[in-house]
Amino acid sequence: MLLHFCAKRSSQHNRFCMVVGVPKEIKANENRVAITPGGVEMFVQRGHTVLIESSAGVGSGFSDEQYARAGAEIVSTAQEVYANAEMILKVKEPIAPEYELIRPGQVIFTYFHAAASRELTEAMLRCRCIGIAYETVQKADGSLPLLIPMSEVAGRMAPQNGAKYLERTMGGRGVLLGGVPGTQPGTVVILGGGVVGTNAAKIAAGFGARVIILDNNLYRLRYLDDVMPKNVTTMMSTPENIRTVIRDADIVIGAVLIPGAKAPYLVTRDMLPTMKTGAVIVDVSVDQGGCIETTRPTTHENPTYVVEGVVHYGVANMPGAVPFTSTIALTNATIPYALELADKGWQRAVRENRELWYGLNFIDGHITYRAVADAFGMEYTDPATLL
């Protein structure tokens, strides 16, 4: 039986009681979960009901017993979660088995990256849900507070994975990234100087690699030049400069982001033959379509493939490999917004919080984020006309 908003708790707090559901993530090797037991306690203290699918948190190190002690109700199936919750908290975008479970008017608060998938976009339109995307929640200064934590994790993991697949036994050139006395260190080229690129540069530099960061923002390059160690150099991102630096690269890390939109191709297929055989590409932008033309999404089970002799690593949920760290980092950022949605209901919450307003991607069968509509030549609807 569908549960509805409870009566307001008090005129002083003007809060709803909401039923919030957390299903187990079913994307391949996705071990993160959208809430910790500590987060459950915060919801329950404010009068909300939290439904957790059994074993949803096991991959991140949280047991059903921990959730129950925090006040959650443990249910057996995802179907029960979706059937009874007014708001669904997830980590990754819904995939095909979940589409039919989503109800009209149900709030789905998760990473969507909808501009990278027409199938997902069309499914959310058919569901007529309220899709609020972590990755497009945006502060007044343009920062993306719910993307930053996972960008930090993925950025730090990118050189780590690149170094692993640079080993000869993993298909790479057989280069030790930091080198040893008497040898040259490896060269890491990072496309993009944002959160992912900055964190990738920190780790690659710590390995002792020669690091080159390219970005098209001169002010950002000046900042990076000031704060990075001496084995990190900066360069303006132009097609000519990219063609030049990837020839000597042992690892190329794609770290490009256009909020909510498909990433542009900075490395095209015809550039690959100029790269070293056994070089490695780690495209962190893959969940937004990738900034390397030959990138396609892969999984933790089958993470790499080879094109023109270059190893490609395209795992789209890289932070899922370190779920204990990733879940805590993610929920530290998402729970305050989720509480606001639960306390106020989504319509009042997005009206009063402009950051959440930018998160609106889908409302009742309409695309309400322009970059998603533009990605597929579909109709965009201003969310203000639907509220």
Side-chain angles (χ1 to χ4, degrees):
M1 178 179 175
L2 179 62
L3 300 174
H4 297 281
F5 279 132
C6 304
K8 291 177 181 177
R9 294 177 64 193
S10 71
S11 58
Q12 178 184 2
H13 293 97
N14 196 25
R15 266 187 210 141
F16 287 112
C17 299
M18 183 180 276
V19 181
V20 178
V22 181
K24 182 179 174 65
E25 298 292 326
I26 60 173
K27 192 165 187 174
N29 287 300
E30 180 51 73
N31 294 301
R32 290 172 290 180
V33 64
I35 199 169
T36 65
V40 168
E41 184 178 2
M42 295 170 71
F43 276 91
V44 171
Q45 285 177 343
R46 298 161 85 99
H48 305 297
T49 298
V50 182
L51 307 179
I52 305 279
E53 183 182 352
S54 181
S55 78
V58 169
S60 292
F62 303 116
S63 67
D64 289 350
E65 291 73 18
Q66 287 174 285
Y67 284 114
R69 284 198 300 271
E73 297 180 19
I74 309 301
V75 299
S76 300
T77 65
Q79 286 81 354
E80 292 175 83
V81 174
Y82 281 94
N84 289 286
E86 293 156 298
M87 178 168 67
I88 298 292
L89 299 183
K90 282 179 50 60
V91 177
K92 292 301 290 180
E93 73 282 354
I95 59 176
E98 296 169 299
Y99 295 163
E100 64 184 19
L101 302 179
I102 299 172
R103 305 192 321 273
Q106 192 169 47
V107 177
I108 311 294
F109 192 31
T110 189
Y111 286 119
F112 276 100
H113 298 293
S117 173
R118 177 181 282 272
E119 176 191 335
L120 171 66
T121 298
E122 292 177 345
M124 293 305 98
L125 296 179
R126 291 195 302 272
C127 292
R128 304 183 73 90
C129 66
I130 312 302
I132 303 176
Y134 291 164
E135 72 274 9
T136 63
V137 172
Q138 184 172 319
K139 289 184 173 290
D141 64 1
S143 64
L144 305 170
L146 306 189
L147 195 60
I148 286 172
M150 295 303 92
S151 295
E152 290 170 332
V153 173
R156 294 183 183 216
M157 292 183 72
Q160 176 178 307
N161 285 310
K164 180 67 177 176
Y165 290 98
L166 199 54
E167 296 174 10
R168 185 68 177 175
T169 53
M170 305 300 288
R173 295 190 63 232
V175 172
L176 179 64
L177 196 54
V180 294
T183 71
Q184 290 288 326
T187 297
V188 178
V189 170
I190 301 172
L191 305 175
V195 177
V196 169
T198 299
N199 280 273
K202 288 178 181 178
I203 300 304
F207 278 149
R210 174 179 174 246
V211 182
I212 304 169
I213 305 179
L214 296 96
D215 198 279
N216 59 7
N217 184 327
L218 187 56
Y219 294 99
R220 184 65 182 176
L221 292 178
R222 287 181 178 134
Y223 166 77
L224 292 170
D225 186 69
D226 282 341
V227 300
M228 288 292 170
K230 293 303 180 184
N231 56 332
V232 178
T233 58
T234 59
M235 185 178 290
M236 182 58 69
S237 180
T238 66
E240 181 182 7
N241 284 344
I242 292 170
R243 284 194 298 269
T244 298
V245 296
I246 67 171
R247 293 190 192 110
D248 294 324
D250 295 294
I251 299 174
V252 174
I253 296 174
V256 174
L257 173 70
I258 298 175
K262 191 177 185 301
Y265 292 143
L266 299 188
V267 175
T268 55
R269 177 178 286 273
D270 61 3
M271 295 181 187
L272 257 62
T274 70
M275 295 179 63
K276 299 173 180 176
T277 299
V280 178
I281 287 173
V282 179
D283 196 347
V284 185
S285 305
V286 67
D287 53 9
Q288 288 290 97
C291 65
I292 305 341
E293 186 177 9
T294 46
T295 294
R296 57 176 170 80
T298 61
T299 67
H300 291 291
E301 289 178 331
N302 297 290
T304 64
Y305 58 94
V306 178
V307 179
E308 298 285 356
V310 177
V311 179
H312 289 56
Y313 179 95
V315 175
N317 61 330
M318 201 184 302
V322 287
F324 182 76
T325 298
S326 296
T327 289
I328 293 173
L330 176 62
T331 58
N332 283 345
T334 57
I335 292 304
Y337 292 95
L339 284 169
E340 188 168 355
L341 289 165
D343 287 346
K344 298 177 178 179
W346 74 269
Q347 293 197 39
R348 180 180 159 209
V350 300
R351 284 194 190 101
E352 295 182 1
N353 187 336
R354 195 68 181 178
E355 297 169 20
L356 277 170
W357 179 277
Y358 288 119
L360 288 168
N361 279 215
F362 305 104
I363 298 178
D364 191 26
H366 300 271
I367 299 175
T368 53
Y369 197 82
R370 188 175 296 278
V372 174
D374 290 350
F376 307 113
M378 300 171 77
E379 184 179 354
Y380 162 77
T381 302
D382 184 341
T385 66
L386 301 174
L387 293 174

